[in-house]
Amino acid sequence: MSAGTFAPAPGRAARGTVIRRQIKMELLLTARRGEAVVLAMGVPLLVMLGAGLTDVTNVPGDDRLAYVVPGVLALTVMSTAFTGQAITTGYERSYGVLKRLGASPLTRSGLLFAKTSAILGLVLVQLLALALVGLAVGWRPEFGHLLPAVGITVLAVAAYSGLALTMAGLLRPETVTAGATLIYVVMLSVGGIMFAAPDLGVAGWFVLPLAAHAQALRDALGGTAIPGSIWLSLAAWAALGVTAATRFFRWE
């Protein structure tokens, strides 16, 4: 039999190829859970229309949409990158899906990167859809600081996703579901989405990452610079989330 009959020879694919394929798979699985994606946007959309177009809550300033819409965008990021990510991954671990992936060429860091990258792509699509709804109902942002808004959102995704994967890798799925949902409700209540967040000063940005993210988007989309304290707080949360996930995430 001539040389090269069985070429290419079987072997482990390059790390970049493995990660790209896993990102594609994560996006495909997410698309198959369309109802979860819609649900992740459902509550933020109701908040936008309810609090943004009516006087059901008191918000700072005279422009309700300028306050509510950026907060809703931040809430959507948390809903998808933290709550949805934690619950989905927790059950994947419980059902043995992650255990099987652990026997593949995919490394643990590769899985974490692939899941976070897929969530980032999904979040950007969701934010675009919600921003278009906001524009349709009268929101008029300034786009001069759009790049800082995107940068701060990338930090927020890294923070939320890292914390979600840490929870999912350590706790039972039922506990993850209860804990992630509780945190989501608390942040929705005190994160400055429908009304002003508690005045904790600069320390508040480090205590309430959702409030920091929402205020950063209000500043950027309102045409002003994002305070350095907010950049620092979300960078700290991102470092904490990524470090914790890298150290404590388990396949099973």
Side-chain angles (χ1 to χ4, degrees), residues 29-66:
L29 292 175
T30 299
R32 291 178 177 176
R33 297 190 297 266
E35 69 284 354
V37 177
V38 172
L39 182 62
M41 295 178 62
V43 172
L45 181 59
L46 291 176
V47 171
M48 179 193 296
L49 299 178
L53 300 179
T54 69
D55 295 330
V56 294
T57 62
N58 295 322
V59 300
D62 298 325
D63 189 342
R64 297 187 65 86
L65 288 173

Side-chain angles (χ1 to χ4, degrees), residues 187-223:
M187 285 293 164
L188 173 61
S189 302
V190 301
I193 306 303
M194 296 180 289
F195 33 77
D199 185 9
L200 302 177
V202 174
W205 306 139
F206 292 88
V207 176
L208 302 171
L210 179 60
H213 186 197
Q215 186 57 48
L217 293 183
R218 290 187 189 103
D219 290 336
L221 298 175

Side-chain angles (χ1 to χ4, degrees), residues 18-106:
V18 173
I19 293 176
R20 284 196 302 273
R21 289 175 178 172
Q22 185 63 30
I23 292 174
K24 182 179 179 180
M25 178 59 68
E26 295 290 342
L27 289 171
L28 179 61
L29 292 175
T30 299
R32 291 178 177 176
R33 297 190 297 266
E35 69 284 354
V37 177
V38 172
L39 182 62
M41 295 178 62
V43 172
L45 181 59
L46 291 176
V47 171
M48 179 193 296
L49 299 178
L53 300 179
T54 69
D55 295 330
V56 294
T57 62
N58 295 322
V59 300
D62 298 325
D63 189 342
R64 297 187 65 86
L65 288 173
Y67 185 87
V68 172
V69 175
V72 164
L73 298 181
L75 179 66
T76 302
V77 175
M78 181 178 181
S79 175
T80 300
F82 176 71
T83 311
Q85 173 92 306
I87 294 172
T88 298
T89 307
Y91 278 99
E92 287 178 347
R93 177 169 167 260
S94 174
Y95 294 153
V97 175
L98 299 186
K99 180 180 180 180
R100 288 170 173 79
L101 284 176
S104 75
L106 184 68

Side-chain angles (χ1 to χ4, degrees), residues 132-150:
L132 290 175
V133 174
L135 291 171
V137 298
W139 177 48
R140 295 296 178 262
E142 298 287 341
F143 293 108
H145 292 79
L146 187 59
L147 284 180
V150 172

Side-chain angles (χ1 to χ4, degrees), residues 214-238:
Q215 186 57 48
L217 293 183
R218 290 187 189 103
D219 290 336
L221 298 175
T224 61
I226 300 173
S229 57
I230 292 183
W231 282 106
L232 184 59
S233 69
L234 287 177
W237 276 105

